[in-house]
Amino acid sequence: MWTGCNATPPPTSNPTNPPSNVPTNHPTPSVGLKNWHDPSTWLSSSIPAAGESVTLPENSKVVINQAVLEELNVITVPSSSELIFGEDAGGAAITLDAAGMDVQGALRAGSET
């Protein structure tokens, strides 16, 4: 089970006063994040279903910011991609059940602090 993170964003031009549109509770604030729960993230145009093996799209950063309720088979993160555990807006734990993970790219998750 993975839980949400509260990471520090990368430095900005003024690190003591980052722009208001930069989320400070997200591990990698950047443009182009894809949401796990958005069907348009996936080549099949549907959110991964229970029992499926899942491969993130190539050259993508996919963020999970709420619990994934389906029990999945193996999740593969290609070498050009990242799977990021963000933070649930309501403060709920982010959980993910999978038979395994094959991380060739990056897996990012923070601490509960």
Side-chain angles (χ1 to χ4, degrees):
M1 176 171 74
W2 294 92
T3 58
C5 60
N6 194 9
T8 304
T12 63
S13 58
N14 183 357
T16 59
N17 189 18
S20 61
N21 64 343
V22 175
T24 58
N25 64 345
H26 193 279
T28 53
S30 66
V31 177
L33 288 177
K34 296 176 182 251
N35 188 312
W36 179 281
H37 293 91
D38 182 350
S40 68
T41 295
W42 307 103
L43 295 176
S44 65
S45 296
S46 63
I47 299 167
E52 286 185 345
S53 288
V54 179
T55 300
L56 271 63
E58 295 283 339
N59 302 307
S60 68
K61 294 180 181 181
V62 178
V63 65
I64 297 175
N65 55 12
Q66 66 187 59
V68 176
L69 302 177
E70 302 77 19
E71 284 189 38
L72 301 169
N73 197 3
V74 175
I75 299 171
T76 301
V77 181
S79 61
S80 62
S81 299
E82 295 181 32
L83 180 59
I84 303 165
F85 287 85
E87 186 173 289
D88 183 273
I94 295 177
T95 58
L96 171 66
D97 290 321
M101 295 188 80
D102 178 11
V103 181
Q104 301 161 20
L107 176 64
R108 304 205 189 280
S111 68
E112 294 183 27
T113 58

